[in-house]
Amino acid sequence: MQFLLNRDLLKDCENADTISIDTLALEEVLNEERAKEISELHTLSEKVSYLHTSLIYYRNAKSKMGATCYEAWKTLVKKVGGSPNTWKELGYALGIKQEDLDYITNSIKEDPADIVIKVFIQNETATLDKIIDAFVKMKRYDILKALEEPFCNLAQCFNNEDSGYHSTSKTVGTKEIVSFKNYKNDLPPALNINFVTKDSDRNPNQPSLRPSKKTENKKVDNDCPILFLTYTEDGLDTALNIHQYVNNWDSPKVEVLTLSGRREDVYPNPEKFIREYFEKADFIVPIITTGYLERIKSHSPQVPSTNDNLDFKYVNFIYNLIISHYIHATGCLNEKVRSVLPSNADVDVLREITMYPDLLPWTYETSFDDNFKAFLKKDDE
């Protein structure tokens, strides 16, 4: 009897050991899988760490980029809105204020998941990796799994290495945040940080494209004349040639300014730098090419830039300043802009340039030396 009892106890112990071993093995497998998933999520987070969340609102059904951005937005909004209060948890994780979340709960009829993302977008550093990190904190691996493919596809659209573009800047290893510059903030006033009441429009400290009244009729003193170049990809060769022309001048000594040439000064606040040197420059020098004219056309779709060349990226911003200066500061007398047409400019460019009085007068690249020396001499008189 004692022998049978001991034998039964032994069987129980053997079963317990077997169960314990199986459980440990299963737990080990699960831990390995979870570690692999975390590693993959970390890799995904790095891939999208320089992509601003505003990019998912870029729309162009005819382009692959537009379709990819839409798919990323659709997946994110559907997954967040697919379970109760997930949007609110995401809001907490993204640092959105409690009062804003309460307002969304009680006063907003639109999709709360979409609204939370739009509130988050108002932060200049609202990159997609922060959304991934938020879901990791929430332990919503189901949502992260669903986002993996569309976010990877999005990263590929804006990956300079994959696209064949290789940066020659000194900031290798760090990437400027890519955002959708034409993103429209359509949040209601209570949530919109850019909302300005009519009364506050009178505040002279509000940013405006209109030149400051203190400086619009007074030139900023410079050590030497400044030519501020603005151009698109197809004007790069001419920009390099202009640098060479000016370097060969004995007199006057002139600084040729490009955003790429001053990128370390530009990066902290591009708009501020551009406004400051727009005022300081003796002349703004647009290089008129097919690409430049296409970029400044108001009806042209604005594709988020995948290129880290700052001159290409801020063509429209500088052109808006040109328009404003032409209209408001000089009463449609062009005292600031002197355009250059490349040597190989085609007939379409010649025909279209006449439609832009704010870009006149212009000169051919081949006549740059004589004409710009004359412009600068006349400006000094």
Side-chain angles (χ1 to χ4, degrees):
M1 183 70 177
Q2 183 68 30
F3 173 75
L4 291 174
L5 182 60
N6 290 339
R7 188 173 63 179
D8 291 337
L9 288 172
L10 182 60
K11 286 183 178 180
D12 290 340
C13 290
E14 288 176 352
N15 291 337
D17 289 342
T18 303
I19 293 172
S20 178
I21 292 171
D22 290 344
T23 303
L24 289 173
L26 179 60
E27 185 177 353
E28 185 176 347
V29 170
L30 290 174
N31 287 336
E32 289 177 356
E33 290 180 354
R34 179 55 52 84
K36 182 180 178 181
E37 289 177 357
I38 295 296
S39 177
E40 290 174 351
L41 290 173
H42 182 68
T43 301
L44 177 60
S45 181
E46 289 181 345
K47 286 182 178 179
V48 298
S49 62
Y50 66 99
L51 301 182
H52 195 270
T53 307
S54 59
L55 289 172
I56 66 176
Y57 287 89
Y58 170 64
R59 298 289 180 265
N60 187 343
K62 296 181 180 180
S63 72
K64 180 181 178 181
M65 183 183 293
T68 302
C69 292
Y70 172 73
E71 187 63 30
W73 169 83
K74 183 178 71 172
T75 303
L76 176 59
V77 171
K78 278 190 172 183
K79 289 298 178 181
V80 173
S83 53
N85 294 323
T86 300
W87 66 269
K88 192 173 292 186
E89 293 176 25
L90 177 61
Y92 287 134
L94 292 175
I96 295 175
K97 296 178 181 178
Q98 179 63 52
E99 60 185 16
D100 289 341
L101 295 174
D102 291 341
Y103 181 82
I104 295 171
T105 301
N106 299 314
S107 303
I108 301 296
K109 295 181 180 180
E110 289 84 356
D111 181 358
D114 191 43
I115 296 297
V116 162
I117 295 168
K118 288 181 176 180
V119 172
F120 173 62
I121 282 175
Q122 296 181 109
N123 188 332
E124 291 183 357
T125 59
T127 46
L128 289 172
D129 62 312
K130 292 181 175 63
I131 291 180
I132 292 175
D133 294 342
F135 285 126
V136 171
K137 291 179 182 177
M138 295 162 59
K139 297 184 179 180
R140 291 303 303 267
Y141 299 104
D142 56 324
I143 296 178
L144 288 166
K145 191 66 178 176
L147 290 175
E148 184 176 5
E149 182 177 351
F151 274 28
C152 280
N153 292 338
L154 193 63
Q156 288 178 1
C157 284
F158 296 94
N159 190 314
N160 289 334
E161 287 75 20
D162 289 348
S163 64
Y165 177 85
H166 298 281
S167 174
T168 57
S169 72
K170 297 179 181 179
T171 56
V172 175
T174 60
K175 293 184 178 180
E176 182 186 9
I177 293 176
V178 179
S179 60
F180 181 24
K181 297 298 182 184
N182 280 16
Y183 169 76
K184 294 182 179 179
N185 188 341
D186 57 359
L187 286 170
L191 297 173
N192 193 328
I193 63 173
N194 296 323
F195 181 76
V196 181
T197 62
K198 291 182 179 179
D199 290 338
S200 64
D201 285 340
R202 302 170 188 169
N203 187 343
N205 293 324
Q206 291 296 330
S208 170
L209 283 175
R210 180 173 297 187
S212 170
K213 292 181 180 179
K214 295 180 180 179
T215 60
E216 61 186 21
N217 294 320
K218 180 181 178 182
K219 183 180 293 184
V220 180
D221 292 333
N222 302 311
D223 293 335
C224 65
I226 297 176
L227 301 180
F228 190 165
L229 306 189
T230 174
Y231 54 93
T232 50
E233 291 90 334
D234 50 353
L236 178 58
D237 289 341
T238 300
L240 296 174
N241 290 341
I242 289 174
H243 272 281
Q244 190 62 45
Y245 300 149
V246 173
N247 286 339
N248 291 334
W249 289 357
D250 292 329
S251 64
K253 292 296 182 182
V254 175
E255 177 185 355
V256 177
L257 175 68
T258 62
L259 299 180
S260 295
R262 297 282 296 275
R263 60 190 311 117
E264 292 183 0
D265 298 323
V266 174
Y267 268 139
N269 193 329
E271 287 79 7
K272 180 181 178 181
F273 180 92
I274 292 170
R275 289 177 191 277
E276 178 183 348
Y277 277 90
F278 187 94
E279 294 291 339
K280 287 183 178 181
D282 290 68
F283 293 115
I284 309 300
V285 185
I287 298 175
I288 310 300
T289 58
T290 302
Y292 182 88
L293 293 174
E294 285 296 323
R295 186 73 64 87
I296 65 175
K297 287 179 181 177
S298 58
H299 55 79
S300 297
Q302 296 299 308
V303 179
S305 177
T306 63
N307 198 315
D308 70 350
N309 187 302
L310 296 172
D311 295 286
F312 305 167
K313 184 173 293 186
Y314 287 98
V315 162
N316 279 85
F317 185 81
I318 296 173
Y319 181 64
N320 285 334
L321 291 175
I322 289 173
I323 294 174
S324 185
H325 189 276
Y326 177 74
I327 295 173
H328 300 296
T330 63
C332 297
L333 295 175
N334 201 342
E335 300 175 353
K336 194 75 171 177
V337 175
R338 298 293 182 268
S339 301
V340 173
L341 270 69
S343 304
N344 59 350
D346 60 35
V347 66
D348 291 332
V349 172
L350 289 170
R351 182 168 55 249
E352 287 194 51
I353 187 64
T354 59
M355 300 169 59
Y356 295 89
D358 47 7
L359 296 178
L360 300 176
W362 57 266
T363 183
Y364 278 114
E365 179 186 340
T366 51
S367 304
F368 178 87
D369 280 357
D370 293 337
N371 288 337
F372 268 82
K373 284 182 179 179
F375 290 151
L376 292 168
K377 182 178 180 180
K378 184 177 180 181
D379 194 50
D380 288 336
E381 293 176 351

